[in-house]
């Protein structure tokens, strides 16, 4: 499968800890990477571009020599006034992986490729995936039904197979995965890497209130509401946090996307994916990573053993 050359041999399992707004920071990235999985964070989690640069340098300074690579998420949307400055910093600091959202821009891809970096782009349907492929990205993140944040509505089977029909690069699957067995299943269905967000939200290093972490650990899939009424783009939120903020997901008009107000909105209303039903603890990120790696390897081995025993190999 087409895992990029720069990632081959550098991950202990095919897992990316997704960049979560107001959640992922240096501690979560460093602990994830040092444990062997790819950690990421959104540039906008730092309030300024200079602060963003400081985080990049802090992360590099704390990574072990054998650590997995790290990545940064850039919101490529006209309402984000920092995108050009933050991209310039990514180029100067040679960020290994840039994950783009809300816009696939060939010039951005060329800038990152210029220093040998990778670009992954997240999409919720095949139409957006085609635009990303045309922009020259190295990987497409298929955000399927059940994912947290700005999720899609398509089955992962449908989305991955449609994208694979025309895209020869890496496909990274997002949506309701919590365990190494889930990651192995994603690989079996044609994805190259798994993209886990909500599972890393419930870790000690996540930069969110303890109440939010507890809500994730105590919720079920039925508590997830998919609505555009928070930020103007459909996204998955915890029902209890919507109620606490006085937001009726069924009534009223959806707001227009505005990056200037995003921080406040997402601080008050908490996003999570349908995978919350499988989360019952709040471990340290390193412990979570070790468990994912072990579960993944066991699942792959068990599948191969079963296939041999049952005569499929």
């Amino acid at each position: 499968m087409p895992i990029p050359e720069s990632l081959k041999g550098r991950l202990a399992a095919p897992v990316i800890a997704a960049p979560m707004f107001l959640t992922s920071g240096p501690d979560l990235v460093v602990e994830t990477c040092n444990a062997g999985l790819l950690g990421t964070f959104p540039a906008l989690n730092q309030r300024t571009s200079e602060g963003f640069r400081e985080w990049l340098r802090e992360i590099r300074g704390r990574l072990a020599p054998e650590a997995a690579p790290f990545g940064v998420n850039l919101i490529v949307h006209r309402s984000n006034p920092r995108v050009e400055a933050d991209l310039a910093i990514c180029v100067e600091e040679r960020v290994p992986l840039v994950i783009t959202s809300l816009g696939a821009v060939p010039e951005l891809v060329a800038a990152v490729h210029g220093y040998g970096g990778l670009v992954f782009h997240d999409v919720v349907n095949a139409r957006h995936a085609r635009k990303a492929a045309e922009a020259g990205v190295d990987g497409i993140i298929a955000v399927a039904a059940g994912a947290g944040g700005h999720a899609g509505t398509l089955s992962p089977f449908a989305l991955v197979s449609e994208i694979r029909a025309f895209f020869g690069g890496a496909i990274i699957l997002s949506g309701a995965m919590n365990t190494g067995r889930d990651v192995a299943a994603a690989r079996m269905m044609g994805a190259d890497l798994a993209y886990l967000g909500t599972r890393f939200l419930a870790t000690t290093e996540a930069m969110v209130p303890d109440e939010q972490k507890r809500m994730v650990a105590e919720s079920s899939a039925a508590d997830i509401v998919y609505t555009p009424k928070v930020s103007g783009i459909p996204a998955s939120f915890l029902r209890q946090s919507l109620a606490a903020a006085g937001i009726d997901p069924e009534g009223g008009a959806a707001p227009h996307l505005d990056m200037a107000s995003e921080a406040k909105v997402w601080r008050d209303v908490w996003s999570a994916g349908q995978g919350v039903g499988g989360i019952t603890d709040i471990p340290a990120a390193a412990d979570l990573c070790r468990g994912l790696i072990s579960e993944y390897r066991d699942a792959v081995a068990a599948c191969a053993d079963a296939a041999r025993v049952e005569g499929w190999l």
Side-chain angles (χ1 to χ4, degrees), residues 90-306:
C90 287
V91 173
E92 292 167 12
E93 299 293 331
R94 302 175 72 87
V95 172
L97 169 64
V98 174
I99 299 168
T100 55
S101 304
L102 303 180
V105 181
E107 293 79 10
L108 182 151
V109 175
V112 176
H113 284 174
Y115 64 82
L118 297 171
V119 179
F120 291 172
H121 183 69
D122 60 28
V123 306
V124 297
N125 57 47
R127 181 171 65 87
H128 292 157
R130 286 185 183 277
K131 291 183 178 180
E134 291 167 1
V137 302
D138 305 283
I140 292 177
I141 301 166
V143 186
H150 295 305
T153 59
L154 293 176
S155 158
F157 289 94
L159 188 54
V160 169
S161 63
E162 282 196 18
I163 294 172
R164 181 58 75 204
F166 60 83
F167 183 64
I171 294 180
I172 304 93
L173 180 62
S174 172
M177 290 176 286
N178 290 323
T179 69
R181 182 176 292 273
D182 296 337
V183 175
R187 290 275 289 170
M188 289 292 289
M189 64 181 289
D192 303 296
L193 297 153
Y195 203 63
L196 278 62
T198 302
R199 175 61 273 197
F200 281 87
L201 172 60
T203 57
T204 56
E205 290 84 359
M207 301 187 307
V208 298
D210 288 342
E211 180 186 356
Q212 184 174 355
K213 298 177 187 181
R214 286 194 297 271
M215 188 178 292
V216 168
E218 295 169 1
S219 296
S220 68
D223 295 311
I224 301 301
V225 179
Y226 183 71
T227 177
K229 299 301 175 62
V230 175
S231 66
I233 296 178
S236 300
F237 296 95
L238 288 159
R239 186 182 303 277
Q240 303 95 310
S241 71
L242 288 169
I247 296 175
D248 178 2
E250 304 300 329
H256 293 292
L257 178 65
D258 177 10
M259 297 309 300
S261 63
E262 278 280 275
K264 183 180 187 305
V265 171
W266 288 71
R267 185 177 294 115
D268 297 338
V269 184
W270 299 336
S271 178
Q274 292 176 5
V276 291
I279 298 173
T280 58
D281 60 348
I282 306 171
D287 291 336
L288 172 61
C289 291
R290 283 190 284 269
L292 286 167
I293 294 164
S294 176
E295 292 164 359
Y296 173 73
R297 293 174 177 174
D298 288 348
V300 171
C303 186
D305 287 344

Side-chain angles (χ1 to χ4, degrees), residues 58-108:
E58 176 188 345
I59 288 168
R60 284 196 185 279
R62 293 171 58 189
L63 289 179
E66 68 281 3
F70 70 94
V72 165
N73 175 229
L74 298 182
I75 303 297
V76 185
H77 188 272
R78 61 181 178 276
S79 67
N80 178 13
R82 278 179 43 186
V83 62
E84 291 186 8
D86 289 349
L87 172 60
I89 290 171
C90 287
V91 173
E92 292 167 12
E93 299 293 331
R94 302 175 72 87
V95 172
L97 169 64
V98 174
I99 299 168
T100 55
S101 304
L102 303 180
V105 181
E107 293 79 10
L108 182 151

